[in-house]
């Protein structure tokens, strides 16, 4: 599957009793589907994955897949503090039918570079699902270096990276690696247009989960070559 466009990072709705609110989740997913987004990013940082038990993550994924029924691809956040836990979540997502997974650096351990690369490789070798690397150094304390991303893209199921560093210079280094297989997505909403203009594939956007029309307007205006409109929408 070729991923591009605006992919909302979906928040996990809760009831007043701290349980997942599946009715609201279904309404939110249908709302995003009608808006015309190109995919769904589930159980990521915006989805408060750190606050969910494994059984809740499985139930959340099942509910999303059932609601969307193949109408949109679901990228499931399988990041975890340990490699063993990340593999377990990745295999669960594959068994449940997710279309892809995302893997972030283990937190809060701040692994060395060789350990971080070994972590990503270990997960990738245990599943066949497409994997989107997730670079968020402000959250994890470590960044994915471009050289590491270059080495990891040799694995057939590592298909791209979501860069939430907020560092456009770093994003541009990742974009040097982009080809028909490996794609780069903005992870900061303020850099959607900048990433697109440098050749990026789109954005995994938190704003798009609430205001999909704004993020989509940036992408659509850029696609038709209307940079003035795209810039106006980015400013909004």
């Amino acid at each position: 599957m070729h991923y591009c466009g605006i992919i909302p990072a979906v928040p996990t709705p809760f009831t007043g009793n701290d349980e997942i609110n599946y009715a609201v989740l279904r309404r939110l997913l249908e709302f995003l589907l009608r808006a015309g987004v190109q995919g769904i990013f589930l159980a990521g940082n915006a989805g408060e994955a750190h606050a969910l038990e494994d059984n809740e993550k499985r139930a959340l994924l099942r509910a999303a897949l059932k609601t969307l029924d193949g109408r949109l691809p679901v990228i499931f956040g399988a990041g975890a503090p340990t490699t063993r836990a990340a593999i377990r979540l990745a295999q669960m997502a594959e068994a449940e039918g997710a279309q892809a997974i995302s893997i972030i650096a283990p937190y809060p351990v701040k692994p060395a570079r060789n350990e971080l690369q070994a972590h990503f490789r270990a997960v990738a070798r245990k599943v066949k699902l497409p994997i989107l690397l997730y670079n968020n150094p402000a959250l994890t304390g470590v960044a994915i270096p471009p050289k590491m991303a270059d080495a990891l893209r040799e694995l057939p199921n590592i298909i791209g990276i979501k860069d939430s560093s907020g560092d456009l210079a770093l994003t541009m280094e990742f974009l040097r690696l982009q080809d028909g297989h490996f794609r780069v997505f903005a992870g900061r909403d303020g850099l959607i247009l900048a990433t697109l203009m440098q050749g990026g594939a789109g954005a995994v956007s938190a704003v798009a989960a609430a205001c999909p029309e704004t993020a989509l307007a940036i992408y659509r205006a850029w696609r038709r070559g209307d940079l003035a409109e795209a810039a106006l929408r980015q400013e909004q």
Side-chain angles (χ1 to χ4, degrees):
M1 184 176 293
H2 184 70
Y3 291 90
C4 63
I6 301 299
I7 301 173
V10 177
T12 302
F14 292 92
T15 68
N17 295 323
D18 290 335
E19 297 176 349
I20 297 173
N21 191 326
Y22 293 104
V24 171
L25 176 68
R26 288 190 291 271
R27 284 165 47 200
L28 176 57
L29 294 176
E30 291 288 355
F31 163 69
L32 295 172
L33 180 66
R34 290 193 302 271
V37 300
Q38 283 76 39
I40 294 294
F41 187 84
L42 196 69
N45 184 37
E48 297 184 272
H50 61 278
L52 297 171
E53 303 292 340
D54 282 6
N55 64 321
E56 291 177 310
K57 291 181 180 181
R58 183 189 296 272
L60 180 72
L61 177 58
R62 283 181 176 176
L65 290 170
K66 183 178 180 180
T67 298
L68 293 171
D69 193 25
R71 294 176 291 174
L72 279 177
V74 175
I75 303 173
F76 178 79
T82 68
T83 303
R84 182 173 61 180
I87 290 172
R88 185 172 64 246
L89 286 171
Q91 291 177 329
M92 179 275 289
E94 186 167 54
E96 293 294 337
Q99 283 74 37
I101 57 174
S102 176
I103 304 293
I104 197 169
Y107 48 86
V109 294
K110 298 181 182 179
R113 288 192 177 187
N114 64 317
E115 295 170 331
L116 181 57
Q117 183 164 318
H119 171 77
F120 289 128
R121 287 185 178 275
V123 179
R125 287 170 175 159
K126 291 293 185 178
V127 294
K128 295 180 180 179
L129 282 178
I131 295 174
L132 188 68
L133 301 174
Y134 182 4
N135 186 47
N136 193 335
L139 178 66
T140 64
V142 294
I144 300 174
K147 286 186 178 180
M148 185 185 300
D150 190 21
L152 290 169
R153 71 185 177 128
E154 297 174 358
L155 296 171
N157 57 336
I158 292 185
I159 62 164
I161 188 166
K162 172 194 176 188
D163 184 22
S164 295
S165 67
D167 182 348
L168 184 58
L170 178 58
T171 302
M172 291 174 67
E173 288 298 312
F174 290 131
L175 284 162
R176 291 174 183 263
L177 309 176
Q178 188 167 258
D179 53 25
H181 169 70
F182 188 85
R183 311 289 285 173
V184 178
F185 291 83
R188 290 286 185 95
D189 288 306
L191 294 177
I192 294 175
L193 180 57
T195 300
L196 290 170
M197 290 180 67
Q198 295 297 328
V204 179
S205 166
V207 164
C211 306
E213 67 283 353
T214 301
L216 283 165
I218 299 170
Y219 182 70
R220 290 167 177 165
W222 171 79
R223 284 291 301 268
R224 66 176 182 264
D226 189 345
L227 295 182
E229 175 69 11
L232 174 62
R233 296 295 190 171
Q234 178 67 79
E235 180 64 22
Q236 289 175 341

